Amino acid sequence: QVQLVESGGGLVQAGGSLRLSCAASGSIFGINVMYWYRQAPGKQRELVASITIFGNTNYADSVKGRFTISRDNAKNTVYLQMNSLKPEDTAVYYCNAPRGADNYWGQGTQVTVSS
């Protein structure tokens, strides 16, 4: 089993920044890619960013240039630095770690961006 715990969400004004963290614990061997997703009210969950164990990253077009995903393998933690936040970034942000047939999710952290 793998446990994922997100933190760092909150209320911020447009143009502000937040840093989300996702701490992984348990049997994390074999988890090579970790993801950040988000889900806004009434919308489907969407992929925001991903990072491999080697540090290769990918981003949704909507966040490129504003968000940065990183990881600290020694701390088993993945981060999402979010800059120049917009009201449309308002959502619950989830950390995800797939491994084989298993797919682990955190409980989510709310990010609210006011205009």
Side-chain angles (χ1 to χ4, degrees):
Q1 282 287 351
V2 175
Q3 294 78 42
L4 302 175
V5 179
E6 301 101 333
S7 61
L11 173 64
V12 64
Q13 288 188 332
S17 298
L18 284 173
R19 188 195 196 204
L20 306 183
S21 299
C22 171
S25 61
S27 178
I28 62 172
F29 179 80
I31 295 177
N32 297 318
V33 186
M34 293 189 69
Y35 301 85
W36 282 101
Y37 284 79
R38 66 185 181 187
Q39 187 166 18
K43 295 188 176 182
Q44 289 189 330
R45 193 170 294 189
E46 64 172 349
L47 178 62
V48 176
S50 65
I51 186 166
T52 73
I53 195 168
F54 302 110
N56 299 315
T57 59
N58 274 294
Y59 298 92
D61 287 343
S62 59
V63 306
K64 278 182 183 176
R66 300 188 298 122
F67 290 12
T68 302
I69 189 171
S70 61
R71 65 191 293 166
D72 185 334
N73 290 331
K75 295 182 178 180
N76 296 327
T77 300
V78 175
Y79 305 96
L80 187 67
Q81 177 67 44
M82 306 186 296
N83 299 328
S84 302
L85 282 161
K86 304 176 181 180
E88 51 264 42
D89 295 319
T90 295
V92 178
Y93 284 71
Y94 297 92
C95 182
N96 171 249
R99 181 179 63 193
D102 298 318
N103 200 14
Y104 301 101
W105 293 90
Q107 82 288 352
T109 185
Q110 176 70 47
V111 171
T112 302
V113 184
S114 63
S115 56

